[in-house]
Amino acid sequence: QVQVVESGGGLVQAGGSLRLSCAASGGIFSINAMQWYRQAPGKQRELVAGITSGGSTDYVSSVKGRFTISRASAKNTMYLQMNSLKPEDTAVYYCKIVGAYTQLGKYDSWGQGTQVTVSS
């Protein structure tokens, strides 16, 4: 019902930048919040950044000052601008839709993930 697709991952040198995109679809009327998670192999998934319907943002301490999350109000889209990338940022990045309201109810949904690799 609720579909989530991430894009924009790739290979970048340390100090470089990437912008990740997330697009949600499926008859969505509104979304309470959108979040970016990341997961390295064998590690637990961690919350990196989030943005609420009111525009409030928050970040994990390790990315503050380097990453910026944003949301397009006219579309169910979200971005993560990643600057000054470090090798420890290497992970699969996932978009999570929190509280997507459709005709059938309220849903949380995950994207399939996009790989970010930062070389030293």
Side-chain angles (χ1 to χ4, degrees):
Q1 175 63 22
V2 177
Q3 305 295 320
V4 184
V5 179
E6 306 99 330
S7 62
L11 175 63
V12 65
Q13 289 186 333
S17 298
L18 286 172
R19 190 178 79 154
L20 305 184
S21 299
C22 173
S25 62
I28 298 169
F29 299 143
S30 64
I31 296 172
N32 285 347
M34 303 178 76
Q35 299 170 323
W36 286 102
Y37 286 75
R38 66 186 180 188
Q39 187 170 24
K43 307 296 183 180
Q44 288 199 340
R45 194 170 297 186
E46 69 167 341
L47 178 63
V48 177
I51 185 166
T52 69
S53 60
S56 298
T57 61
D58 206 356
Y59 305 87
V60 69
S61 295
S62 60
V63 309
K64 286 183 178 179
R66 300 188 297 120
F67 291 10
T68 303
I69 188 171
S70 61
R71 182 176 176 180
S73 60
K75 299 181 291 183
N76 294 320
T77 56
M78 175 179 65
Y79 305 97
L80 185 68
Q81 179 66 47
M82 305 185 295
N83 298 327
S84 302
L85 283 162
K86 304 175 180 179
E88 49 263 46
D89 296 318
T90 296
V92 177
Y93 284 70
Y94 297 89
C95 176
K96 182 184 180 183
I97 307 302
V98 180
Y101 289 85
T102 73
Q103 291 175 322
L104 298 179
K106 179 183 177 182
Y107 300 93
D108 291 357
S109 188
W110 293 87
Q112 83 290 342
T114 185
Q115 177 71 49
V116 172
T117 303
V118 184
S119 63
S120 61

